[in-house]
Amino acid sequence: MKDLVTHMAQAIVDYPDQVVVTEEMADDHIVYHLKVADSDMGKVIGKQGRIANAMRTLLKVAAIRKGTRAILEIGEGVSPRGAPPRLLDEPRLLDEPRLLDEPRLLDEPRLLDEPRPLDEPRLLDEPRLLDEPRLLDEPRLLDEPRLLDEPRLLDEPRPLDEPELEPAPEPDLDLESDLEPQSEL
Amino acid sequence: MKELIEYMARSIVDYPDQVVVTEEREDDRLVYHLMVAESDMGKVIGKQGRVANAMRALLKVAAIRKSDRAVLEIG
């Protein structure tokens, strides 16, 4: 498998003679460490790690065939086997972190859509009285009703106008002639 | 590049001696045809073509290094 990694790397770099692969046994897997010329680092990693992952895929299948597991590490920056790296001092900030500029909004915030109620509000049940309303006590008057003052007339009542009498009809003289004179009998 | 494909394929199949790679120029590109044992087909293709695409990715970079273009066909 070491040869596979070497072969793959050498096929794609500009300086094949600078390809170095080291093999290291870990608990249940093998770690391959691939080192190439600095200028070839981009080539063995690839855009978004595509080439590195392609090599890992093939290495993985090769390892499975041999009933083991393999890991491919590329470049420097990996601690040598043994104790994990440790910090000499507790990391601390040299300066209090501060904002370079006052934070501000790039755009005026705005609503993407006009806000609207999700549903028309509605009553789940028709509202109803729990109990029939009733008077706690029989209504009663606090005091016997009475007149504040004796009622009186504002003005002396008087006829609005002198009643106008219809002139008496002139007695019909002809009526007398129809009367049958009885006194002459 | 033919040797690269052979090496990759032989590393992952059960029958390395049945790995055959042919090379063919087609216009401006090289077409590589990889043939393996019937039972090894799944291995060189992989789940959702993952292994085949891994080989193609490496082949592509190797071709670019030689200012060429290469295509890998399997089966």
Side-chain angles (χ1 to χ4, degrees), chain A residues 173-184:
Chain A
L173 295 173
D174 288 343
L175 284 173
E176 276 174 35
S177 56
D178 292 337
L179 291 168
E180 264 181 52
Q182 291 174 330
S183 56
E184 281 175 27

Side-chain angles (χ1 to χ4, degrees), chain A:
Chain A
M1 286 195 283
K2 187 182 166 185
D3 287 343
L4 172 64
V5 178
T6 308
H7 255 84
M8 292 191 291
Q10 280 179 340
I12 59 175
V13 296
D14 288 331
Y15 304 100
D17 55 323
Q18 286 192 45
V19 170
V20 178
V21 180
T22 56
E23 189 179 33
E24 197 182 327
M25 286 301 298
D27 305 329
D28 59 342
H29 59 270
I30 306 167
V31 180
Y32 290 95
H33 206 90
L34 168 63
K35 271 184 267 190
V36 297
D38 275 349
S39 59
D40 280 330
M41 280 296 280
K43 281 206 175 61
V44 292
I45 291 168
K47 246 182 267 171
Q48 295 183 321
R50 208 167 290 169
I51 301 302
N53 286 332
M55 289 195 284
R56 288 186 177 117
T57 299
L58 290 164
L59 181 63
K60 188 196 262 178
V61 180
I64 288 168
R65 198 177 67 114
K66 296 189 175 171
T68 183
R69 295 203 300 136
I71 286 172
L72 175 63
E73 284 176 354
I74 297 169
E76 308 289 335
V78 180
S79 66
R81 206 167 143 68
R86 61 188 179 79
L87 295 161
L88 291 176
D89 288 315
E90 199 63 35
R92 60 188 177 80
L93 292 163
L94 290 177
D95 288 315
E96 199 63 36
R98 59 186 178 79
L99 292 163
L100 289 177
D101 287 315
E102 198 63 35
R104 59 186 178 78
L105 292 164
L106 289 178
D107 288 314
E108 198 64 36
R110 60 186 178 77
L111 291 164
L112 291 178
D113 289 314
E114 199 64 33
R116 59 184 177 78
L118 289 178
D119 287 313
E120 198 64 34
R122 61 187 176 78
L123 292 163
L124 289 179
D125 290 314
E126 199 64 33
R128 59 187 177 78
L129 293 162
L130 289 178
D131 290 313
E132 199 62 35
R134 60 189 177 77
L135 292 162
L136 289 176
D137 290 313
E138 199 60 36
R140 60 187 176 78
L141 291 163
L142 289 175
D143 289 313
E144 198 61 36
R146 60 186 176 78
L147 292 163
L148 289 175
D149 288 313
E150 199 62 35
R152 59 184 178 81
L153 292 164
L154 288 174
D155 288 314
E156 200 60 35
R158 56 177 179 82
L160 287 174
D161 283 312
E162 202 60 37
E164 227 167 89
L165 294 168
E166 280 287 307
E170 204 71 19
D172 199 343
L173 295 173
D174 288 343
L175 284 173
E176 276 174 35
S177 56
D178 292 337
L179 291 168
E180 264 181 52
Q182 291 174 330
S183 56
E184 281 175 27
L185 285 173

